[in-house]
Amino acid sequence: MRKLIESTLVSLDGVIEAPERWAIFDEEATQRSMQELDNYDAFVMGRVTYERFRENWGAGGNPYIDRIGAMPKYVASRSLTEVTWNATLLGSDVVAAVQQLKAQPGKDLIKYGNSRLDATLLPAGLVDELRLWIMPVVVGSGQRILDDVETSSLKLTLTDVHELRNGSVVLTYAPGYDDDGPR
């Protein structure tokens, strides 16, 4: 069974919004990102992420963006009726659709960013890893990680720590819930 890995850029003060303005991507971080793409063969994303990525990365122009453009994308949306950029809508039952994707053979699935979609995926037990790229910057304002998720019974188990020379740390967590929490 494939895993669904969520990889999110986070500032020290918990901001995830507009990482293109503050994320530190030197050669080492860029190389790690490229290597990680080898582990995945499709993206899962919400509508907002899909629209932003398509708008900003749809034209391609560098190896990282070109690889993302070539990968299949599965989009959760209540408002879109059609998609482009090698994407497919997940349909009205996102939980069942993601369960089916995870059951298919192949490499793991990747989801970039933390979004309202997590309010559905995390309680359903569909996110296998949260990979948080903590950047050594303080942004001050913006959307915070897990803003849209009921977290009172969410339990995170640290499974890996990787330090980068630029001061960033990649923390990997296995999410779960207390017995009386969502699932």
Side-chain angles (χ1 to χ4, degrees):
M1 178 177 253
R2 302 196 290 184
K3 292 182 181 178
L4 175 58
I5 311 300
E6 178 173 311
S7 183
T8 302
L9 302 174
V10 185
S11 70
L12 281 176
D13 56 342
V15 174
I16 59 170
E17 185 176 334
E20 68 278 2
R21 296 184 196 152
W22 49 262
I24 302 166
F25 264 84
D26 59 6
E27 185 177 326
E28 180 187 22
T30 300
Q31 182 179 12
R32 180 178 171 96
S33 294
M34 285 290 289
Q35 289 171 343
E36 283 195 4
L37 280 180
D38 291 338
N39 299 319
Y40 314 114
D41 59 13
F43 275 87
V44 172
M45 55 183 62
R47 178 193 55 81
V48 173
T49 302
Y50 163 74
E51 288 178 336
R52 286 186 182 155
F53 279 22
R54 186 192 67 210
E55 179 181 318
N56 295 320
W57 294 358
N62 76 39
Y64 183 74
I65 291 171
D66 292 343
R67 286 189 58 195
I68 290 173
M71 292 174 73
K73 294 153 202 73
Y74 296 94
V75 181
S77 174
R78 292 184 202 114
S79 59
L80 295 176
T81 57
E82 60 181 52
V83 289
T84 61
W85 196 44
N86 200 20
T88 303
L89 288 168
L90 288 171
S92 60
D93 189 347
V94 172
V95 169
V98 172
Q99 287 171 332
Q100 288 176 355
L101 287 173
K102 289 180 67 170
Q104 294 173 0
K107 295 179 182 179
D108 290 337
L109 305 165
I110 183 71
K111 178 185 176 294
Y112 278 175
N114 187 259
S115 67
R116 287 179 283 166
L117 179 56
D118 291 303
T120 300
L121 298 177
L122 280 165
L126 293 173
V127 177
D128 298 287
E129 290 182 11
L130 284 172
R131 191 164 297 145
L132 307 179
W133 289 59
I134 310 297
M135 300 286 172
V137 297
V138 176
V139 178
S141 64
Q143 181 182 358
R144 309 270 175 190
I145 189 164
L146 301 173
D147 265 353
D148 298 311
V149 177
E150 167 54 51
T151 58
S152 62
S153 60
L154 177 64
K155 301 298 176 202
L156 300 173
T157 302
L158 183 65
T159 60
D160 189 53
V161 176
H162 182 85
E163 296 178 45
L164 283 77
R165 289 186 300 273
N166 67 12
S168 299
V169 181
V170 181
L171 305 175
T172 303
Y173 292 93
Y177 280 88
D178 284 343
D179 290 339
D180 55 346
R183 255 275 189 232

